[in-house]
Amino acid sequence: EKEERTKSKNLSSLKLLFDFALPYWVIMLGAFIALVAAALGTLSIGRVIQLFIDRGFSSNSDGMTQVFLLSYLVVAVIAGATFARYYLVMWLGERVIADLRNAIYKRIITLSPAYFEVNKTGEILSRLTVDTTLIQGLVGAGASVALRNILLLIGGLCMLIFTSLKLSALIILTIPLIVLPLIIFGRRVKELSRKTQAALADVTSGANESLNEIRTVQAYSQEENETTRFKEKINHSLTSAISQIKARGWLTFAIIGAVLGSIVSVLWIGAIDVRSGSMSGGDLAAFVVYSLMTAGALASLSEVYGDLQRAAGAAERIQDLLFA
């Protein structure tokens, strides 16, 4: 049911959530500080790996000890900040949704009987349950994940440029090779997904129609015709599903090929720089780590945007009810 709720491209309705969260600004501030600390700790992993390779395995035992102690410090910061971020953000999400549900119910209970004659009770209750649950996911984990990945994306790009400007330029040049398949095959997959869902709905509708009129079907001996008709709908649904699987497979093939191909190219050019002495092995390893970190953050942000649209649609429906 959550997936069926309409989305909204107008994200301004999410201000409603900020209004309910504002009384808990101290918790919000603490969560943001923990979020920044966790992101900085995660970004420092690349530098730690660089120190491991360039200094940690040197003959100087003191240098190795320092690198390992620094690693433990980074682990402690990431673990502690992640715990604080998770606890504060989830607490805030639960508190805001509790307040929001109380406000919705307080409004519902005062609405005139005429309102319930025009609007279905089930739809009103779904705003109290389904829509608030959608928003809870955003106020809780969704917002935290979005902010975290924005910080990782910005920080990762900065560290890529700082580590190697030449390899960063190569990564930027390969971005169209990754984005192009997403645009071409992504639209195709989305279109085929809609067709597959429509075909499956047609199967369900046909079966429901026949079963509801089963006495009529049997009275006129139409069992064989109905079975044949149902089989045709199933075959059509199967064909649509296979087409979607094939398109999704090509999309996966193109993305994996482009991403792994770009990584191999970076390693190849980086290895040449390491061999010539213009770049250390640790810097090359750190660059690969930051590349993967940046790509992961970008992929996560694309998923979070869909959650934002669903939450915005839910916020609009709740606003319509609160200010009805």
Side-chain angles (χ1 to χ4, degrees):
E1 187 175 358
K2 292 179 189 177
E3 294 297 327
E4 293 174 358
R5 306 301 281 175
T6 56
K7 298 180 181 181
S8 175
K9 294 183 179 180
N10 182 16
L11 303 182
S12 61
S13 59
L14 294 176
K15 182 182 179 297
L16 174 71
L17 309 183
F18 181 77
D19 293 337
F20 274 85
L22 193 57
Y24 310 103
W25 66 269
V26 175
I27 300 297
M28 293 172 63
L29 179 61
F32 180 74
I33 293 173
L35 179 68
V36 172
L40 291 176
T42 303
L43 288 170
S44 66
I45 290 176
R47 289 295 100 193
V48 170
I49 291 176
Q50 183 260 328
L51 291 174
F52 259 125
I53 296 175
D54 291 343
R55 301 181 188 177
F57 299 105
S58 64
S59 58
N60 187 347
S61 60
D62 291 337
M64 182 182 294
T65 302
Q66 291 174 359
V67 171
F68 275 97
L69 290 175
L70 177 62
S71 302
Y72 284 123
L73 177 62
V74 170
V75 169
V77 169
I78 294 175
T82 301
F83 167 77
R85 174 186 63 85
Y86 176 80
Y87 177 81
L88 293 175
V89 165
M90 296 308 292
W91 185 95
L92 180 65
E94 294 290 344
R95 183 68 264 178
V96 167
I97 293 307
D99 292 347
L100 185 59
R101 283 172 175 160
N102 283 330
I104 294 172
Y105 187 77
K106 183 179 179 181
R107 178 58 178 161
I108 290 174
I109 210 71
T110 60
L111 292 172
S112 65
Y115 183 87
F116 291 94
E117 292 177 3
V118 177
N119 298 276
K120 296 180 180 179
T121 304
E123 174 59 24
I124 296 173
L125 288 176
S126 74
R127 302 186 192 188
L128 184 63
T129 55
V130 177
D131 285 336
T132 53
T133 302
L134 281 172
I135 291 175
Q136 183 178 15
L138 177 65
V139 178
S144 174
V145 169
L147 289 173
R148 175 180 178 272
N149 283 293
I150 288 173
L151 291 176
L152 289 179
L153 178 61
I154 296 173
L157 289 173
C158 291
M159 294 306 297
L160 283 174
I161 296 173
F162 174 79
T163 303
S164 174
L165 183 60
K166 182 172 74 173
L167 294 182
S168 298
L170 177 63
I171 289 291
I172 293 173
L173 289 175
T174 59
I175 288 178
L177 297 177
I178 301 173
V179 174
L180 197 60
L182 276 174
I183 296 175
I184 296 175
F185 290 106
R187 290 177 178 175
R188 178 63 175 164
V189 168
K190 192 173 182 179
E191 178 185 349
L192 290 173
S193 178
R194 283 197 296 266
K195 289 183 178 180
T196 301
Q197 291 174 358
L200 185 59
D202 189 37
V203 169
T204 305
S205 175
N208 184 59
E209 180 183 343
S210 298
L211 294 177
N212 283 337
E213 302 295 333
I214 189 63
R215 293 181 179 179
T216 304
V217 171
Q218 292 178 348
Y220 287 92
S221 302
Q222 292 298 306
E223 294 92 340
E224 188 68 30
N225 289 337
E226 289 299 321
T227 301
T228 302
R229 189 164 68 98
F230 184 79
K231 185 176 181 180
E232 290 175 355
K233 291 179 180 294
I234 285 290
N235 288 335
H236 177 65
S237 175
L238 177 62
T239 302
S240 298
I242 291 175
S243 298
Q244 180 189 354
I245 291 170
K246 186 183 294 184
R248 191 176 292 275
W250 279 112
L251 175 62
T252 304
F253 170 81
I255 295 299
I256 290 177
V259 171
L260 294 183
S262 63
I263 291 175
V264 170
S265 300
V266 166
L267 288 174
W268 181 26
I269 297 175
I272 295 174
D273 290 343
V274 171
R275 193 172 182 180
S276 66
S278 60
M279 187 181 191
S280 70
D283 282 336
L284 178 58
F287 188 89
V288 173
V289 169
Y290 288 126
S291 298
L292 296 175
M293 197 178 294
T294 304
L298 189 60
S300 296
L301 283 174
S302 64
E303 296 176 3
V304 169
Y305 183 68
D307 295 335
L308 278 174
Q309 288 183 310
R310 275 187 287 271
E316 285 182 357
R317 289 186 290 274
I318 290 174
Q319 279 182 325
D320 291 342
L321 180 60
L322 287 176
F323 305 107

